[in-house]
Each structure stands twice: as structure tokens, then as C-alpha cells.
Amino acid sequence: MTPLPRFLRAPARRVRAGLAAGTVLLLVVTGCGGPDELEGTVVTVGTDDKDDQPLGGGRLAVLDGDGLRDFLGAAGIDTPPEAEIPYLGGRVRRDDVARAGGSLVTIDDEGKFTLTTTGRRTICLLLETPQVDVLRGCVAVDLPASGTLTLTMSSDELKAALED
């Protein structure tokens, strides 16, 4: 193989050094496991105490800080004390979630969802109807970086259970 002329050798060394540094950075980032993800399921429990059934479709409003107050205020709903938020109900617009600084998470047809936020959050269940969404309760939860979250909707209350 013919050696490179001298004026091309220095840039080639810099390229090799840059590639080596980029490879190390890539390995460090990938070794961290990527973004935090909390897997979850929404289930519903009937009044006759049958097994939990997945609740497919709908969305979760994930709010922090004063987000719940702002979200409910846009819908004309007074913010109750925290002990009463699992029983919240009413007609809401999902557009108001973003205006309140929150995010929407889709619940798939099998009742599954993935959250990528951590820390203290208020999560509200929104069921879709043809013209507006229906709020079916909220829960305040300290979300870990990973694990499993099960949201259970009974006839009038939303509950949350976290597992490692």
C-alpha cells in the first residue's frame, strides 16, 4: 500500500482520533440504558369483582406542579383537595393539557402505555368520546425511572399501584 503524502497524514490522524472519541461517547451513552421508561397498564374493575380487564384506548394527561389546577380551570372544574382527585369527572379538552404544561400519553388497544417522565406528577385518565374527552379521575404519583404502573378504574375512582 502506498503511504499517504505528508500533508494528508495529519488530517487522517485527526479523523481517526475523532472516530475513536465518538465511539467511546457512543458506548458511554448506550451503556446508560437510554431514556427512563415506566411501563404501565390501565385496567377496569366492575362492580361484581370480576378479574381486572384492560381498558384500551384513551389517553393519560401527565401534569406537574400547578398543571392540574390550570388544566381543570380551562374546563371550568374547581380543583378539589388531593384526597378527592381520584373521583374527578367532567368534560375536558385534551388541547388544554399542553396549555397547562403537561403531556398526553396514548393508551393502546390492550390498555398499555409508556411514561418517560420521573418525579411527582398528577396523572389523569381521559376517555375519548365523539366531541370531547371525559375525565375519569386523577392520581398523584412519584414516578420512578423504571418499573410498572397499574392504573385501576372502578366505577367512580382511579387508583395507582407501582411495582419495581
Side-chain angles (χ1 to χ4, degrees):
M1 183 167 158
T2 307
L4 288 172
R6 184 175 180 171
F7 70 92
L8 290 178
R9 284 187 218 155
R13 284 187 198 124
R14 282 188 289 238
V15 169
R16 281 194 298 271
L19 287 173
T23 302
V24 169
L25 180 62
L26 180 62
L27 291 172
V28 167
V29 170
T30 5
C32 293
D36 297 332
E37 287 190 351
L38 180 68
E39 300 295 323
T41 306
V42 180
V43 296
T44 183
V45 177
T47 55
D48 56 0
D49 291 331
K50 286 186 179 179
D51 291 335
D52 298 349
Q53 298 294 316
L55 179 69
R59 290 182 170 73
L60 298 176
V62 182
L63 304 156
D64 60 354
D66 293 331
L68 179 63
R69 185 190 72 226
D70 296 341
F71 173 59
L72 295 176
I77 300 171
D78 292 330
T79 306
E82 188 171 320
E84 295 177 22
I85 66 172
Y87 306 98
L88 274 171
R91 295 164 40 142
V92 295
R93 294 182 335 166
R94 72 180 81 132
D95 295 344
D96 292 332
V97 173
R99 288 187 192 105
S103 60
L104 286 169
V105 174
T106 301
I107 303 167
D108 73 14
D109 292 338
E110 297 174 357
K112 302 209 179 289
F113 62 87
T114 302
L115 298 177
T116 56
T117 56
T118 58
R120 185 78 171 163
R121 298 287 189 269
T122 300
I123 300 173
C124 299
L125 177 60
L126 308 178
L127 300 179
E128 298 174 275
T129 62
Q131 295 180 353
V132 296
D133 289 323
V134 176
L135 174 64
R136 291 299 308 267
C138 300
V139 290
V141 180
D142 288 314
L143 298 174
S146 63
T148 304
L149 174 64
T150 301
L151 297 175
T152 304
M153 187 183 79
S154 64
S155 60
D156 64 347
E157 179 183 16
L158 185 65
K159 295 178 184 177
L162 280 167
E163 296 178 27
D164 291 334

